[in-house]
Amino acid sequence: MITLSFVEQQHLSVLCNFSLPPEQLPFTSLPVDALRACEEDPTRTPIVILADQEPVGFFVLHEGEATKAYIEEEGLLLIRSLAIDEKQQGKGYGKKAMLLLPAFVTVHWPNIRELFLVVNERNAAAKQLYTRVGFEDRGLRRVGPIGPQRILHYDLLKISTMEDKKL
């Protein structure tokens, strides 16, 4: 069973020992580095992906003024540093976590109307994952530290619209 949780003390030893294949390192942060950034910036919230209560993945939700470096709008939440531990990759944990994320955000950040993330053009696997789970490419681009990047969006209003149709 896959769940999302705020990072707690009992997750830290596993998260700080995550490893990634060398080809993924240019595109994301290891949890140990991302957690350090979260300690220094209260607008970053670390999230752990749990499989049967064991940490298998990690990402950061970043809110506030920092999001305006990418998009000049209110009500947005940036997803950063998604990483699945190398030993746990290929099991669908990233996909399942991203499918759970809209509901998680709606509960814990009720004023957020849209999620977004930045993916490097060369990171085809990540781009494919995000589009499979409903992120949209609206044509926004930027140049990042290691090359061109796409900004992908997920409209949280879709969730409430779909739920309204079910009623």
Side-chain angles (χ1 to χ4, degrees):
M1 181 166 144
I2 304 302
T3 56
L4 301 178
S5 174
F6 295 103
V7 171
E8 297 176 8
Q9 189 67 36
Q10 73 253 24
H11 303 135
L12 294 178
S13 64
V14 175
L15 290 174
C16 289
N17 287 300
F18 267 32
S19 64
L20 293 171
E23 64 273 10
Q24 292 176 5
L25 289 172
F27 302 123
T28 192
S29 300
L30 286 166
V32 67
D33 299 320
L35 285 165
R36 198 171 304 120
C38 291
E39 288 175 4
E40 297 168 3
D41 182 353
T43 66
R44 295 178 188 227
T45 303
I47 306 296
V48 63
I49 303 165
L50 301 169
D52 297 321
Q53 302 302 312
E54 290 298 317
V56 296
F58 173 88
F59 59 93
V60 173
L61 295 175
H62 199 167
E63 60 187 312
E65 290 299 311
T67 65
K68 292 186 179 157
Y70 302 96
I71 303 173
E72 283 283 336
E73 294 179 33
E74 299 292 327
L76 304 181
L77 191 60
L78 172 62
I79 304 164
R80 308 179 80 113
S81 304
L82 174 63
I84 304 297
D85 186 44
E86 186 172 22
K87 296 179 288 298
Q88 302 296 337
Q89 291 185 10
K91 299 177 183 178
Y93 295 145
K95 180 179 178 182
K96 290 173 187 167
M98 291 298 103
L99 289 170
L100 292 171
L101 184 57
F104 183 84
V105 168
T106 300
V107 168
H108 297 288
W109 284 270
N111 295 326
I112 296 298
R113 61 177 178 73
E114 183 175 296
L115 303 172
F116 77 99
L117 52 85
V118 180
V119 63
N120 188 281
E121 291 278 357
R122 296 187 334 228
N123 195 349
K127 185 178 154 238
Q128 183 178 23
L129 165 69
Y130 298 131
T131 55
R132 276 189 185 161
V133 299
F135 281 82
E136 299 173 332
D137 185 345
R138 298 180 188 161
L140 289 176
R141 304 289 185 268
R142 70 184 292 250
V143 176
I146 62 166
Q149 299 175 318
R150 295 173 183 256
I151 298 175
L152 304 180
H153 308 260
Y154 190 99
D155 184 355
L156 291 174
L157 298 178
K158 284 189 216 176
I159 294 173
S160 59
T161 303
M162 290 182 343
E163 288 174 354
D164 290 343
K165 288 180 181 177
K166 290 179 187 175
L167 296 176

